[in-house]
Amino acid sequence: MSRPPVSNATDQPQYKPPSAILIVGAGVFGLSTAVAILSSSLYAQTHLTIVDPDLPDLEQVQNDEILQYKPSAHTASIDSSRIIRPDYANPAYSKLATEAQEAWRSGYGGEGVYHESGLAIVAGRKGSEYVEAACRNVQDPRRKAEDRLKEPTHVERLNSPQDIRAILGLPPNYSPRLGLPESEQLGRTGYINRSSGWANAEGAMRFEMRLILEHGQDPARLVLRRAKVDHFLFSRAENESKPSVFGVHLTDSSCLKADLIILATGAWTPSLLDLTGRVQSTAQCLAYLPLTRSEADSLSRMPVLLNLSTGYFVIPPALNTASPSATPTLHSATSTHEEEAYTHHLKVACHCHGYLSPTPMTVTTPSSTIHLCPSLPSSSPVPPPALNGLRDFLSSIFPSSSPLSFRPFSSSRLCHYTDTPTGDFLITYHPECENLFLCTGGSGHGFKFLPVLGREVLKILEQRGGEWQRLWGWKDQQIGEWKGDGSRGGERGELLENAMKEGGERERRSKL
């Protein structure tokens, strides 16, 4: 079983590891940090507790029930697929993602989890600067030889909509629909990196849990607690300049205590801590299009397509991965009405600025309870306007004669990001609370770093994080428009509630 690089902190004698660490959250940030802690000899005497509402009971997963374990099913890290790419405008992220991708290629996540389908990154009027910078980074001759694919032509420029059509395998007589210019539907220019791809996110997270269980067989060292945190427990001695967090209060009225609390609650983080102007949750939309085996066989050779102007992307099916639909459905597959089962799926989604869902709530502070209205995850279905947008995107890929251009989706859902103003992660000690370490702000691009993220978290925890300690550190509040890292398309500041009302009003009018 491939393992992440082990943290080596022996060169930091001044750092004394805590006797007890509590990780709140079992998504990418929480589990990768847990694996790094359990893999490091420096923390051999540290007792680790992980708390999350979706964790399995430790006794159950010890008996091979990990195969049925669906880790933190409501988080952004759990899905059929996540893009794996070193294609970043920031060279630092590109370098770290390249290292992570080598681990994916070497089997991290388990057999059949990683798929190197290629990735076509395109843009129309907006997003072209990010595309150009990312292309330069993946072609940078200064990168180590072992970081580059052996074939020298793994990156190919796409200089026109016709080039984009060609790499997608679209027919020569393809004509754009919806009255939009083809350059805005598919993009004007871009490039394809044939060494990028995607990974089965749910399978990778199950793999991560197996690593944790392998290291944590001793209950004196590891405890998994299936519970939801309600608020922090604070204390403040007379001689202390700032309060300390010494534990958490759970919704079942019990408490968990530790020397260090690592907050890795993703999109739910603003419900526990006032991070106004630093972190907010946004809802992204995704849907699945059912495919027959023959359709999946054809589309499996297609690269991932990501349009940075609109945010829309599509991930091809894997022939060794069945559809998430529990029951195969029959349909008329050919002009002779031969029935063929839906066995696979095509994922279509939007990596955009997302919907906001302001939620009135209270947050416990060291001295009082304050009232806030942060954007938080919602149980809402995908708004009809967003589904229409996903459908229109597919219509720009498949000709009108194809049944894929109008076939109903088999399922859809919201995926909740934890955004920061710059798109950089927030991994740092809280400057106003002792013993509280923040590990959040994935901003929709954290999953790909799963093999190496925990190692970098420990470096920052041990105050030897270098460039990442600065980039992922605590920053001033940013009120107003957040620019992100330039990789997100679509409109900004849209409210989920308004989108649902708009869809409901359209449906009402259509029935009149």
Side-chain angles (χ1 to χ4, degrees):
M1 181 177 287
S2 179
R3 300 179 185 277
V6 175
S7 173
N8 178 17
T10 56
D11 59 341
Q12 297 288 318
Q14 69 272 26
Y15 175 77
K16 182 180 179 181
S19 298
I21 295 177
L22 170 62
I23 297 178
V24 184
V28 166
F29 284 68
L31 293 191
S32 62
T33 301
V35 169
I37 289 172
L38 293 169
S39 302
S40 172
S41 59
L42 182 64
Y43 296 87
Q45 302 304 314
T46 297
H47 181 272
L48 177 65
T49 300
I50 309 172
V51 59
D52 188 281
D54 294 313
L55 277 175
D57 291 329
L58 191 56
E59 292 182 359
Q60 291 180 339
V61 294
Q62 297 283 12
N63 297 321
D64 294 330
E65 291 193 16
I66 189 65
L67 297 177
Q68 285 75 45
Y69 167 52
K70 195 176 182 68
S72 295
H74 302 293
T75 71
S77 57
I78 298 304
D79 191 20
S80 63
S81 50
R82 285 287 180 270
I83 297 174
I84 305 297
R85 61 179 174 96
D87 306 77
Y88 275 88
N90 185 320
Y93 280 106
S94 183
K95 181 179 179 180
L96 187 63
T98 297
E99 183 182 355
Q101 190 172 22
E102 287 303 316
W104 289 112
R105 285 199 188 104
S106 300
Y108 196 91
E111 184 178 357
V113 163
Y114 175 67
H115 305 268
E116 202 154 280
S117 61
L119 167 66
I121 300 183
V122 302
R125 287 190 297 263
K126 300 178 181 179
S128 58
E129 291 183 3
Y130 188 100
V131 172
E132 287 300 312
C135 188
R136 287 195 299 270
N137 284 331
V138 295
Q139 289 183 308
D140 189 346
R142 293 171 296 179
R143 292 171 61 196
K144 294 180 181 179
E146 61 266 27
D147 289 344
R148 299 175 61 86
L149 197 66
K150 293 180 181 179
E151 295 83 352
T153 58
H154 71 285
V155 175
E156 177 185 344
R157 289 276 186 171
L158 306 173
N159 298 312
S160 67
Q162 291 74 26
D163 288 347
I164 297 171
R165 281 191 287 140
I167 59 100
L168 293 177
L170 293 176
N173 60 349
Y174 169 84
S175 59
R177 299 180 60 186
L178 310 171
L180 295 175
E182 183 178 6
S183 61
E184 294 308 309
Q185 291 188 30
L186 282 180
R188 294 170 181 259
T189 59
Y191 70 93
I192 180 170
N193 183 351
R194 299 192 184 278
S195 66
S196 292
W198 59 275
N200 179 333
E202 184 176 326
M205 294 301 288
R206 190 176 289 116
F207 172 91
E208 202 78 357
M209 180 57 73
R210 284 203 298 268
L211 288 180
I212 289 173
L213 296 176
E214 284 184 2
H215 286 294
Q217 294 292 331
D218 183 1
R221 191 180 185 204
L222 173 67
V223 170
L224 302 183
R225 181 70 182 271
R226 181 188 295 172
K228 184 177 181 180
V229 172
D230 181 61
H231 61 263
F232 291 113
L233 300 175
F234 296 96
S235 66
R236 186 168 187 169
E238 292 184 1
N239 60 342
E240 291 181 342
S241 61
K242 52 186 177 181
S244 297
V245 176
F246 67 90
V248 295
H249 184 273
L250 307 179
T251 55
D252 64 5
S253 296
S254 63
C255 298
L256 295 174
K257 299 179 181 180
D259 301 316
L260 177 69
I261 313 298
I262 298 178
L263 187 62
T265 44
W268 284 264
T269 303
S271 69
L272 294 171
L273 202 62
D274 182 9
L275 291 173
T276 304
R278 295 184 176 92
V279 169
Q280 70 178 7
S281 303
T282 60
Q284 318 293 322
C285 304
L286 63 90
Y288 292 100
L289 188 74
L291 301 173
T292 65
R293 171 73 191 201
S294 57
E295 291 168 340
D297 180 64
S298 175
L299 293 174
S300 66
R301 295 184 285 274
M302 184 181 93
V304 175
L305 173 66
L306 171 60
N307 187 326
L308 293 187
S309 296
T310 63
Y312 289 115
F313 66 92
V314 62
I315 296 180
L319 296 183
N320 65 343
T321 304
S323 170
S325 302
T327 306
T329 309
L330 297 180
H331 78 114
S332 178
T334 67
S335 58
T336 59
H337 300 287
E338 175 187 355
E339 289 189 332
E340 187 177 355
Y342 291 139
T343 56
H344 292 73
H345 67 268
L346 184 74
K347 176 182 171 180
V348 56
C350 195
H351 176 69
C352 57
H353 296 290
Y355 291 109
L356 300 175
S357 186
T359 307
M361 60 168 303
T362 58
V363 171
T364 301
T365 70
S367 58
S368 65
T369 298
I370 60 175
H371 298 277
L372 300 173
C373 193
S375 179
L376 292 176
S378 169
S379 58
S380 167
V382 175
L387 286 175
N388 292 338
L390 296 176
R391 172 61 59 194
D392 291 346
F393 176 57
L394 288 181
S395 297
S396 74
I397 298 175
F398 302 111
S400 57
S401 59
S402 169
L404 301 182
S405 67
F406 53 81
R407 180 177 297 162
F409 294 125
S410 58
S411 62
S412 62
R413 74 176 183 92
L414 296 178
C415 174
H416 295 99
Y417 286 4
T418 319
D419 287 337
T420 66
T422 61
D424 296 309
F425 307 156
L426 181 62
I427 302 177
T428 183
Y429 285 96
H430 196 292
E432 299 172 359
C433 293
E434 294 285 358
N435 308 328
L436 178 59
F437 187 84
L438 306 178
C439 193
T440 187
S443 301
H445 67 104
F447 174 84
K448 67 178 68 62
F449 299 104
L450 182 67
V452 298
L453 182 60
R455 180 197 68 197
E456 299 305 319
V457 170
L458 287 198
K459 287 180 181 179
I460 297 174
L461 187 71
E462 297 159 7
Q463 298 291 352
R464 55 187 187 92
E467 181 178 18
W468 296 121
Q469 193 160 325
R470 176 191 59 81
L471 199 60
W472 297 343
W474 185 264
K475 299 178 180 66
D476 293 336
Q477 284 185 318
Q478 184 169 326
I479 307 301
E481 185 176 284
W482 291 8
K483 294 183 178 180
D485 66 352
S487 69
R488 308 274 278 275
E491 299 297 325
R492 301 173 188 269
E494 291 188 284
L495 296 178
L496 180 60
E497 181 181 19
N498 291 350
M500 291 302 298
K501 288 179 179 178
E502 178 186 345
E505 180 61 23
R506 286 183 180 179
E507 183 177 1
R508 187 189 67 81
R509 289 198 300 265
S510 68
K511 293 180 179 178
L512 295 179

